[in-house]
Amino acid sequence: MEWFLGFGIAGLIVLALSLVFDGVLESIGGGLDGILDGILSLPVIAGFVSALGFTGAIATGAAGAGAVVATLTGIAAGALAGWATWRFSRALLRDGVAPAPRGEDLTGTSGAVVTAIPAGGYGEVLLYLAGQPVKYAAKAAAPVERGAEVWVESVLSATSVAVRPVER
């Protein structure tokens, strides 16, 4: 039973180290983590070893099972815990779920002029990017008064747009 408790505690220590050092210890393993897509990541290994140890200790102490039965039960519980950890970490690290908004997403949106736009010069417009108000420098073909509603025709740079007044 002491061996199983030792495995359980060792798994918790490995889990704590993997959380504290966040990937530093994984690079020591020769990069197998990237090859197997997280199946051999430290949290998965820690979950497996902890579940094996604590389940084996429970099987030995509470059920009076022998070492072989406790080990097989621990391996089954460890495999289940490792698989659950792997699935959970994949769900947390999934890419592409909701892409971050980009400036190019502004084309075709409406906004309001907050600083008048002179002919051939720049003014300022208030636009909404992903629901957040953002102020951009704006250029227009003709002068646009403060407070006018405008449409974004194109994105000139990360901080400026070309606009045209909305005609109603």
Side-chain angles (χ1 to χ4, degrees), residues 12-79:
L12 291 178
I13 291 171
V14 168
L15 179 61
L17 289 175
S18 71
L19 293 175
V20 169
F21 293 111
D22 192 27
V24 172
L25 295 176
E26 290 177 357
S27 64
I28 296 172
L32 289 177
D33 184 47
I35 296 170
L36 298 176
D37 195 20
I39 295 172
L40 290 181
S41 67
L42 281 179
V44 171
I45 292 170
F48 174 81
V49 172
S50 291
L52 181 146
F54 291 132
T55 303
I58 291 170
T60 304
V68 173
V69 173
T71 302
L72 292 176
T73 306
I75 288 173

Side-chain angles (χ1 to χ4, degrees), residues 121-152:
Y122 282 92
E124 292 179 321
V125 293
L126 184 65
L127 305 171
Y128 288 89
L129 182 61
Q132 298 297 316
V134 183
K135 195 173 1 173
Y136 283 86
K139 191 173 193 176
V144 183
E145 298 290 324
R146 179 177 186 261
E149 185 178 1
V150 293
W151 287 101
V152 177

